[in-house]
Amino acid sequence: MTAIVEVNGLNKYFDALHVLKDISFAVAPAEVICIIGPSGSGKSTLLRCINFLEQPDIGTITVNGVEVKAGGSGRAYKQKIHDLRLQTGMVFQSFNLFPHMTALGNVIEGPVTVKGMSVKEATEIGAHFLEKVGLGHKQESYPSRLSGGQQQRVAIARALAMQPKVMLFDEPTSALDPELIGEVLGVMQQLVEEGMTMLTVTHEMGFARRFAHRILFMNEGRIIENGSPDQVFDNPKDERTKIFLGAISRLGE
């Protein structure tokens, strides 16, 4: 099966700091990848490089047939990045909603301004995706009137309204109170079951074990473990993975 996401030879520097080191992997359509590892290992930077929110220094990213090689410039290069971004939806740790817009206004902003969709058509799509994340009754609510979990679900609806082929989640529950995490994970579970291709940076090991098809464990800018949840959680090959998972399991005791 042809990969829907391919990352080849990816390297990223922040000045002298080598943050991502020769990262290569592929993602099949409808595959769910969870990226785990200690803080500072490059997980979020990897996700942001996939849709060029961070500019890679070396390497090639391909998403749904749109290939972009790092280091380009000019109008044609920028257009390729734009075309690649249209294939991805991104959900961040912080919700990044416009405070002066309603939930529906936030969701339709992208389809109208980026895709040039009519407000009428975008509103129909936006209402559909707010309903999908369980917030059809909150279309006219402003972010300040929504809980953190509801704001994050609006952010997911906003990403889905662009109708991406791949969803990127960067620790989507890390800013939430514990009792609100479940409602966001529930929406993500629904997307898994519907066959959405997903790359998720997460500390939610229960979600990763249950719903991921594959786990990438990162340490010091490299992928040092790449396998099924059973293999990575129950029989990790690398000593660093064992230490990390041991520490996580002790926290849960």
Side-chain angles (χ1 to χ4, degrees):
M1 187 179 288
T2 305
I4 194 167
V5 178
E6 291 183 80
V7 177
N8 289 303
L10 180 64
N11 285 263
K12 173 65 181 175
Y13 294 84
F14 290 120
D15 298 322
L17 184 63
H18 196 176
V19 181
L20 297 177
K21 304 170 183 174
D22 299 318
I23 300 282
S24 295
F25 66 96
V27 183
E31 189 173 20
V32 178
I33 304 285
C34 281
I35 304 168
I36 66 172
S39 297
S41 57
K43 306 183 298 296
S44 293
T45 301
L46 170 58
L47 218 59
R48 292 171 66 87
C49 281
I50 289 173
N51 66 357
F52 283 78
L53 287 178
E54 294 286 357
Q55 294 290 325
D57 293 297
I58 303 168
T60 304
I61 310 287
T62 307
V63 181
N64 197 35
V66 180
E67 180 182 287
V68 183
K69 189 171 183 178
S73 61
R75 183 177 298 176
Y77 181 72
K78 289 178 180 176
Q79 182 61 47
K80 274 216 159 187
I81 290 175
H82 174 76
D83 293 344
L84 182 144
R85 284 178 178 156
L86 287 177
Q87 309 300 315
T88 67
M90 183 93 177
V91 178
F92 302 89
Q93 297 177 39
S94 54
F95 321 125
N96 293 349
L97 300 179
F98 293 115
H100 64 288
M101 291 183 179
T102 62
L104 183 61
N106 271 279
V107 172
I108 71 173
E109 178 71 7
V112 171
T113 60
V114 178
K115 286 191 164 184
M117 199 177 287
S118 71
V119 172
K120 182 178 183 295
E121 185 182 1
T123 297
E124 291 174 0
I125 290 171
H128 166 75
F129 284 111
L130 281 172
E131 193 70 46
K132 184 182 185 69
V133 300
L135 293 174
H137 61 300
K138 295 288 189 181
Q139 290 185 28
E140 300 306 316
S141 297
Y142 287 88
S144 62
R145 307 296 294 175
L146 299 173
S147 70
Q150 289 171 333
Q151 290 185 61
Q152 191 62 296
R153 284 188 281 155
V154 172
I156 294 172
R158 176 182 59 188
L160 291 172
M162 294 294 287
Q163 299 173 298
K165 298 297 184 183
V166 179
M167 284 288 285
L168 308 174
F169 291 91
D170 186 8
E171 297 191 30
T173 61
S174 65
L176 299 178
D177 293 332
E179 66 268 23
L180 300 178
I181 289 172
E183 61 191 61
V184 173
L185 292 180
V187 172
M188 293 173 67
Q189 176 183 342
Q190 181 183 348
L191 294 176
V192 172
E193 292 167 352
E194 292 172 357
M196 173 63 77
T197 307
M198 293 166 54
L199 285 89
T200 302
V201 172
T202 186
H203 292 295
E204 299 293 336
M205 297 301 152
F207 178 88
R209 181 184 273 276
R210 185 175 175 193
F211 294 109
H213 300 114
R214 198 148 41 101
I215 304 290
L216 305 182
F217 180 84
M218 290 187 67
N219 188 58
E220 296 182 349
R222 299 183 188 277
I223 295 173
I224 62 172
E225 203 95 43
N226 181 347
S228 70
D230 286 348
Q231 185 262 300
V232 173
F233 285 113
D234 298 332
N235 189 30
K237 298 173 183 176
D238 193 276
E239 189 62 29
R240 184 66 186 89
T241 317
K242 295 176 185 176
I243 293 169
F244 176 82
L245 293 174
I248 291 287
S249 65
R250 285 193 296 276
L251 281 175
E253 291 173 357

